[in-house]
Amino acid sequence: MNNSTNLTHVENEIDELLVLKRVDLVCRLVSCLIFMLYFVFILTNRASRKMHQLYIHHANLVDFLYVAAYAAYLDSTEPNIADPNVRDTFCRLSEISWSILKYLRFYSVLLIAAYRFGAIFYSNVFKFLFGSLLRLLSPLLAVWTISIAIALTIKYSIGTTYSRSYCIDGYSSDFALIVKYLIASSLLSIVLPGAAVFFFDYKIRVKLSLNRQVIANSTSATSDELAKERKHNRQLTAINISYIVTFVISFVQSFVFIIPDTNADLAAFRIILRITNILSLVSLPIISVFYNPNINLFDRSKILP
């Protein structure tokens, strides 16, 4: 009787895993499609191609690369490469790519916050930045340089390698090194840029609140000006909420994905984490479009030229 009960329990666990894997697969493919539609929207909508949207588009591109990396593993959590040398090379490159993308994701959000902070508090610097395409692109180059430098420095200074699951960075046979890597990478990729983002957000909120009062008291204030201010503020709030969700998921996922599989419950938890993480990433292109101050999706006549 006990054997029959255990067998039934195992079969139920397998069925649950199969369902989760299918949901996971659908989420990866749909997420890639959403990002592709976002970039098509940018190419076909002039209002969304304004230069001040460049850093948001860059953040969406980085998130798309992250989702696409997951989508590359459709059939298995490990690369289906027979040659061990080729497989090892692929996983080492994949390990570094995961790490760089992790830093790029959060520093791209920080760049958006810093850009908006500068636009509000340092208008002269803002105008100088937009005076040249090279100067406008230089912060992006800085973000990529910093992300690559931190990723490589932490990897080789701590001495970790890739995990069997998706060749993710931060694995080691020494559990102490895993913990050390997790703390260092989380501090530099999530906590520090996160603290800076929330500082900028707080200062921006205070300033926008004062600006709204000035606009509201102005005899020349229009409903469109007030609506743009509110929409811009909602976009900042939505991006930060998404950032918090991604922060929590990324921290837990960084640890769970580099420890070995022990049972079906852990495998299911990994899938749920991955699905939640991917869904949190997809929120950015949706926020970028629906809360764009220059775009009203429900009234084409109000889309600014």
Side-chain angles (χ1 to χ4, degrees), residues 33-277:
L33 178 61
I34 290 174
F35 276 104
M36 291 177 183
L37 290 175
Y38 171 79
F39 293 120
V40 169
F41 179 81
I42 292 172
L43 293 174
T44 57
N45 189 287
R46 187 171 59 179
S48 66
R49 296 198 303 271
K50 291 182 176 294
M51 294 300 290
H52 66 266
Q53 294 290 312
L54 176 64
Y55 299 145
I56 289 183
H57 297 332
H58 172 262
N60 277 285
L61 175 61
V62 171
D63 282 357
F64 170 65
L65 293 175
Y66 197 86
V67 171
Y70 268 130
Y73 294 87
L74 292 179
D75 300 325
S76 173
T77 59
E78 301 179 33
N80 296 319
I81 301 175
D83 190 309
N85 293 325
V86 176
R87 176 193 175 91
D88 180 67
T89 301
F90 175 85
C91 276
R92 289 185 184 279
L93 292 174
S94 181
E95 172 197 5
I96 295 173
S97 298
W98 281 118
S99 182
I100 292 172
L101 285 173
K102 176 170 57 181
Y103 291 102
L104 277 173
R105 286 172 58 196
F106 292 104
Y107 281 99
S108 293
V109 174
L110 174 58
L111 178 59
I112 295 171
Y115 155 75
R116 287 177 172 168
F117 179 82
I120 292 174
F121 288 91
Y122 301 98
S123 57
N124 290 333
V125 177
F126 175 78
K127 292 176 182 178
F128 175 77
L129 187 67
F130 271 80
S132 165
L133 179 60
L134 180 60
R135 289 197 294 268
L136 188 63
L137 294 176
S138 59
L140 295 178
L141 178 61
V143 165
W144 277 83
T145 302
I146 291 170
S147 299
I148 293 172
I150 295 176
L152 295 178
T153 300
I154 290 182
K155 170 183 165 50
Y156 290 110
S157 63
I158 297 178
T160 54
T161 184
Y162 55 84
S163 169
R164 289 182 59 187
S165 296
Y166 302 98
C167 299
I168 285 179
D169 56 296
Y171 176 76
S172 174
S173 56
D174 185 347
F175 187 73
L177 291 182
I178 293 179
V179 174
K180 186 184 294 186
Y181 182 89
L182 177 62
I183 293 174
S185 62
S186 297
L187 181 65
L188 293 174
S189 70
I190 302 175
V191 178
L192 292 182
V197 166
F198 288 116
F199 169 77
F200 289 141
D201 179 58
Y202 171 75
K203 300 293 286 185
I204 290 170
R205 282 175 178 277
V206 173
K207 185 69 173 180
L208 288 180
S209 178
L210 294 174
N211 286 352
R212 283 200 300 273
Q213 292 178 15
V214 171
I215 292 174
N217 295 330
S218 173
T219 55
S220 61
T222 66
S223 59
D224 285 343
E225 287 176 316
L226 293 171
K228 284 189 67 175
E229 285 286 351
R230 286 194 295 267
K231 202 169 185 180
H232 204 169
N233 196 30
R234 289 188 192 124
Q235 187 183 55
L236 286 171
T237 302
I239 288 176
N240 284 319
I241 291 174
S242 174
Y243 186 97
I244 293 172
V245 173
T246 305
F247 170 94
V248 175
I249 297 170
S250 296
F251 182 82
V252 177
Q253 184 175 266
S254 296
F255 181 74
V256 172
F257 270 51
I258 56 181
I259 61 178
D261 284 321
T262 55
N263 53 50
D265 290 335
L266 179 60
F269 184 52
R270 285 182 171 181
I271 297 174
I272 293 172
L273 276 176
R274 184 164 58 248
I275 292 172
T276 310
N277 188 28

